[in-house]
Amino acid sequence: VEGGGKSPNGVIINDSRIANCLVNRSNQEVRVIAQGDSTVVRLTVGQIARLETYNLTGGSSFGKGFQTVNMTRAADLTVSCDLDLLEIEAEKCDITIAKGTTQRLITYNSARKLDVNVAANATLNEADIYSAGTVFSGTGTVGTLNVHGNGLTYEKAPGTLSVDPEVTVLPVQVG
């Protein structure tokens, strides 16, 4: 996806099944909406994207919306829907989980200087943070936060905080 814009409609995926999708519009946000019987198995964000769902059928195989979202380069992402998995491999990503439930977030060692905002209407069930210097903000719910990287900060305490014994700069609650 290299076009579409953000308003009013963006790019609408309607009653479709997509195995792999790349969102990579230069310097402008792309709003991607999955609706009806749509499932996007893997979506990669390369620039600025907003993901939403509308009237999904929610069947066992189809109508699930976005399943796995991957960020492989510096990008901004706003998630306003349910996700199974969000993987961050790149530095300098800004992620906002605006609403819905993200089942799992993984940040890899290569992902540094990440800002993750979990808004009041959002839930992140589990996060595995291997990146150093990750910042969690927002008043949303974080169930389990597994910290494997140094220097993590968070605004609202998670339900469960687990810190790898090899972490030398312990997580700190700010604000």
Side-chain angles (χ1 to χ4, degrees):
V1 177
E2 293 182 345
K6 63 180 177 179
S7 230
N9 297 320
V11 174
I12 298 173
I13 300 168
N14 189 38
D15 295 332
S16 300
R17 292 151 194 89
I18 299 172
N20 292 294
C21 179
L22 170 64
V23 176
N24 195 28
R25 181 175 183 182
S26 225
N27 300 321
Q28 291 186 3
E29 178 180 283
V30 176
R31 181 177 174 220
V32 183
I33 305 154
Q35 66 183 25
D37 199 27
S38 293
T39 297
V40 179
V41 176
R42 185 171 194 82
L43 183 134
T44 301
V45 176
Q47 291 286 328
I48 306 167
R50 172 181 290 276
L51 304 181
E52 301 175 18
T53 56
Y54 180 74
N55 286 339
L56 288 174
T57 59
S60 61
S61 297
F62 306 113
K64 295 179 118 185
F66 305 100
Q67 292 184 300
T68 298
V69 174
N70 182 269
M71 298 176 77
T72 58
R73 58 183 283 186
D76 294 345
L77 172 65
T78 300
V79 177
S80 294
C81 58
D82 293 340
L83 282 182
D84 291 340
L85 177 61
L86 177 56
E87 297 177 304
I88 314 299
E89 300 177 37
E91 292 184 342
K92 300 179 184 174
C93 291
D94 292 329
I95 301 102
T96 299
I97 302 172
K99 66 180 184 177
T101 299
T102 297
Q103 295 298 328
R104 188 166 183 220
L105 166 69
I106 301 173
T107 69
Y108 295 99
N109 289 330
S110 56
R112 303 206 187 287
K113 300 178 185 170
L114 303 180
D115 290 320
V116 179
N117 179 282
V118 182
N121 295 327
T123 299
L124 172 59
N125 283 337
E126 181 179 8
D128 288 299
I129 308 302
Y130 292 89
S131 55
T134 300
V135 175
F136 271 84
S137 62
T139 58
T141 300
V142 177
T144 301
L145 184 56
N146 300 310
V147 181
H148 306 278
N150 289 316
L152 180 133
T153 61
Y154 57 92
E155 181 177 343
K156 181 181 175 185
T160 302
L161 178 64
S162 171
V163 181
D164 189 304
E166 294 187 22
V167 170
T168 57
V169 180
L170 296 176
V172 175
Q173 185 170 7
V174 294

